[in-house]
Each structure stands twice: as structure tokens, then as C-alpha cells.
Amino acid sequence: MNESISTFFADRKAVWLKTKLKAMEDADAQAAIQQEADDKFSLPTWLPDAARRAAWLSMVSHPGKFSHPSAKTSAIIADSRQANDGYLRTGNVAYELDVSAKTAAAMDVYKFLSLPLDDGQTVLQHLEQDSAQAKQLLNVPTASYDSLRSGFLAVKQNDGVNKTDGLVKQVYFPVEADYHLLSILTPAGLLTQTKSRIDAMRFSEATKQAKDSRRKNEHHADGFDDMLGLTVILYGGTKPQNISVLNNQNAGRAYLLSSVPPMFESRQARLPTRHFFRNSLSARRFQDSFQTLDRLMHSGVNNVHVREGIRNTLKYLIDSVLRQAFAIRASAHGWSQAEHYQGLPLAQRIWLDDANLDQREQNEDWLDEVASDFARWIINTYEYLCKDSRTKLGDDEFRELVTLAEQAVAADKEFFK
């Protein structure tokens, strides 16, 4: 007898005996139970009973019980064509059929039919092929081979009627001026393949090693993949075996892939359409710095500390504006080439778009124009935010401020590139 067949009967007999022999001390009774077990789990006795119970099983690709445990639909085996259409659907993934059972008492029959023989093919495949190994296995004195084969193959027979159930989810699908009422069935094999592949991706030994390396802040040559946004759904509650065999193997768990619409992130930098200093910079954002500058200008003291304070404030303003400019550079490559931004001065397009990097490095004419606009923005913004103080500022003091702003921008001009 094939090893897998022998193991199958030995395991089942051991479980049966463990229940029957519990607390039984009489030796004669134990011997009787042992003899009953030998008979019960011998091929001549077990095969005819199993062939009869095979009718309680149905091999399906889309069990109706995934929609509702009490749903009774036809045993459908979908035959869909494979196509490289990019869809995760029936036909594009190879998977085993599921089994739906009227009662759990028939599940051992499915396990028997799934056992591999010496050539690796299952008992069921040999029965379908009517092979010599199948005839040898089912050669018992208690039943004919044909009757046993016919009984076991009932698991793949369809009653020829397409029957749905009111407990199955249904949708109206528009067809021209009419509609079709479709019953939505779950592809159990597809769910199983999806869960199996995701589990291998997330929990394999290679993935565990890679994650361990990450925790230790160590380099890992391959790294690991992950899938985020998964939802786990349970079928069958505490009795997944009431749904199907594959569902029971998966402990009733299946993954739902995320299908939420994309989330748009707020752009950190506003792309200028006409002028960077007018479109992308909010004067109020720099109000604190200009108020500091204004206090220093009105301090009435002209010593090295005040002058240093003015220079530092201007430098801080320039750095803040440059961070905004570099954020625009990082937001997109080639954005200024769109028609919407053609009103932006060429010098600023060279400055703010890395698509013009070669032009930026080879010709620095743009730099003087941007520096001039920069210094003008500092003065204009100061006049806008500190207009009350500006009127108290003498012409000489204001000209000094203009000079200081131009000097500060000129000193940092190299950082504009």
C-alpha cells in the first residue's frame, strides 16, 4: 500500500482508538475494540462507505457559503481563460478547487482523495484518468471498482442546474436597455492564493531575518517587501469548516486588499505662475523677522552689535526664502515647462526648476536678476509690514537699509544656485 494511504488510515485509526479505549480496562473488551478498528479502517470496509459519503461533497471554485453559511447554490467550477490583462481574477491565477461539504462527517473522504500516490498525482486525479494505480487501489472484494470510482467522482459532478439562493449577495448589472441580476460568489482558491502569497511575503524566514537586521540597524542585501492597508475578514466565525475546506485550512481568515481612493497631500510649496516673490511668499509668514529688523532700525543706537543684529536678521530672512525656493525645486522636475508657468520670468524658471540645471550652471546672468528681485522684495515687504514705522524712518536710514539688504543678498548669492 502507498505510504500516504497507510499513514492516512493509521492516523485515523489511532484517533478512533484513543476515544474508544479511554478508561477501558478489560483486556477482552480492548481486544474487541482493536479488532473493530482493524476492520473499520481496512480498505474493504472503509472504501464502500467513503464512496457513499462522497456524494455529500461538492468540488467548487466559487462556494456560495462564503456569502452565507446557509446558502445553497449550484456547485460551480468556473472555467475562465487566462489573459495578460493585468487583472487579479479567476483564470489568471492557478489554484486548487475548494470543497463544500453538507456535513463535516465527509471531510475524511476529501482528505483521502487528496492523498498523493507514488507519481505525485492525487487519488482523485488517478480516478479521473481511470489509471491502473486507481484500479489497484480500489480492488476490494466488498465492492466493484466501477461503483467505487463512480461514487468518489460524484464530488465533481454538477446537477446541471444553475441555482442561486436568496442569501447570496446580488447586484443589478445594466445590459443595454435591460439588466441582469448577478449573484456574487467568492473565488475561494483566489482568496487562498492571495493569503498564501502575502503570508510568504510578510512572515517568511527571509523576511524575518531582513526585519531583524533593520531593528539592529544592520545592512541586509535583499531587504523585504510588505503590503500595507490590509484588512482581515473572517468567514464562518468559530466554525470555518462549515464554509469550505480551504476556508478551514485558512482558519477562516482572508485578506482584503486596500481599495480606497488616493489621498492627495498638500503641496508644501506653491509654484509661482508670474513671480516667485509675489506668488510663493506670504509676507505675514516673515512678520516676526521684519519686526525684529524694524526694532533694530529704530533703536537709535548705531554700534557694532546693532549692525550685527541687522545683518543676522537679513541673513535669517534670506535663508527662510531660500528654503521655500528649494522646496519648489524638489516638488517636481520640469514643472516650469508647462504652459501655465510661461509667464514666470526666465531667470526665475532657471533658478527654481532643476530641469534648467545646465543653464543655471553655464550662465549666471539669471543670478543678478534674481538677486535684484530678492533685495527689492525685502524692502517692499518691510514697507508693507512696517508701514507705520517706515514713515518715522529718515531717508538716510532707509537708504542704509536698502544698502544693507542689497549687501546681504549679494553676500549669499552663491547659495542661490
Side-chain angles (χ1 to χ4, degrees), residues 80-95 190:
S80 300
R81 290 184 298 104
Q82 191 278 333
N84 297 324
D85 51 17
Y87 290 106
L88 178 60
R89 62 170 178 79
T90 302
N92 277 0
V93 180
Y95 55 77
L190 196 58

Side-chain angles (χ1 to χ4, degrees), residues 170-181:
Q170 299 178 345
V171 296
Y172 287 103
F173 189 84
V175 178
E176 297 179 350
D178 205 347
Y179 62 85
H180 287 172
L181 182 57

Side-chain angles (χ1 to χ4, degrees), residues 135-169:
K135 293 177 180 177
Q136 182 181 359
L137 178 63
L138 269 57
N139 182 20
V140 293
T142 50
S144 68
Y145 166 75
D146 289 338
S147 64
L148 293 176
R149 177 173 180 268
S150 175
F152 283 123
L153 290 181
V155 299
K156 295 194 72 172
Q157 290 179 356
N158 190 304
D159 55 10
V161 178
N162 289 327
K163 182 179 66 177
T164 186
D165 192 295
L167 296 172
V168 173
K169 293 182 178 65

Side-chain angles (χ1 to χ4, degrees), residues 40-65:
K40 183 177 181 65
F41 295 101
S42 66
L43 285 176
T45 304
W46 191 86
L47 285 177
D49 178 61
R52 177 183 59 82
R53 291 185 289 122
W56 300 346
L57 300 172
S58 295
M59 298 197 78
V60 293
S61 61
H62 293 65
K65 289 188 175 182

